[in-house]
Amino acid sequence: MKKTRIFILSLSLLAAVAAVGLGFSAAEILRAVERNEEFTTLYYEARMEIQVGGRRVTKTMRGCAQGNEKGLVEFTNPRDLGTRILKIGDDLWLYSPTAEEEVRLSGDMLRQGMMGSDISYQDALEYEHLT
């Protein structure tokens, strides 16, 4: 996922450099980069490494999304196996198989670190435009 995003961003930047030479404005270039990042549906598998003191914790996950309105992330590493995060519109839900219940995340909970990382739940499941 990270390599693909870097590749797309690199191609977008090369196109932007070419566009500057053709007289495009900065706003037009940013809109072109954003168009290259838009998707209707998306599936991905990812790994997140979290440094906690002197040890490293690895979380693996797979996810899918439909635009910026619907998304699902399921953790696949042994310790968090089956933990899921669901986003529908502005609502974010967390399901933990050990607790066998779902919890709606809201307010301050959205700003907490996802699964012990520095990335908040809100940051992880939102996309902000460059413009």
Side-chain angles (χ1 to χ4, degrees):
M1 174 70 183
K2 186 177 180 180
K3 289 180 183 178
T4 303
R5 186 170 171 93
I6 291 171
F7 177 73
I8 291 171
L9 188 58
S10 298
L11 285 178
S12 297
L13 289 174
L14 285 174
V17 169
V20 168
L22 296 174
F24 291 100
S25 70
E28 291 170 322
I29 293 169
L30 286 177
R31 280 193 294 276
V33 170
E34 286 177 346
R35 277 194 305 274
N36 286 335
E37 291 184 340
E38 289 178 3
F39 60 89
T40 305
T41 60
L42 169 73
Y43 172 81
Y44 64 92
E45 295 181 11
R47 184 179 79 215
M48 176 171 55
E49 294 184 4
I50 306 166
Q51 191 74 28
V52 181
R55 67 185 182 103
R56 181 176 299 196
V57 177
T58 302
K59 310 275 185 181
T60 56
M61 66 201 85
R62 62 180 168 230
C64 57
Q66 188 175 23
N68 196 30
E69 292 299 310
K70 296 179 182 177
L72 174 68
V73 175
E74 180 178 16
F75 288 85
T76 56
N77 56 295
R79 182 172 180 171
D80 303 307
L81 189 63
T83 299
R84 296 178 185 106
I85 302 170
L86 173 67
K87 178 187 184 222
I88 300 176
D90 292 332
D91 293 330
L92 201 59
W93 296 84
L94 175 68
Y95 171 77
S96 172
T98 55
E100 294 184 354
E101 68 176 346
E102 54 281 334
V103 176
R104 183 172 183 253
L105 301 177
S106 61
D108 286 339
M109 294 174 76
L110 289 173
R111 291 181 281 283
Q112 291 181 4
M114 182 175 75
M115 304 299 282
S117 72
D118 290 337
I119 300 171
S120 74
Y121 287 98
Q122 191 169 13
D123 291 339
L125 295 175
E126 284 190 351
Y127 171 76
E128 291 186 16
H129 292 281
L130 296 172
T131 55

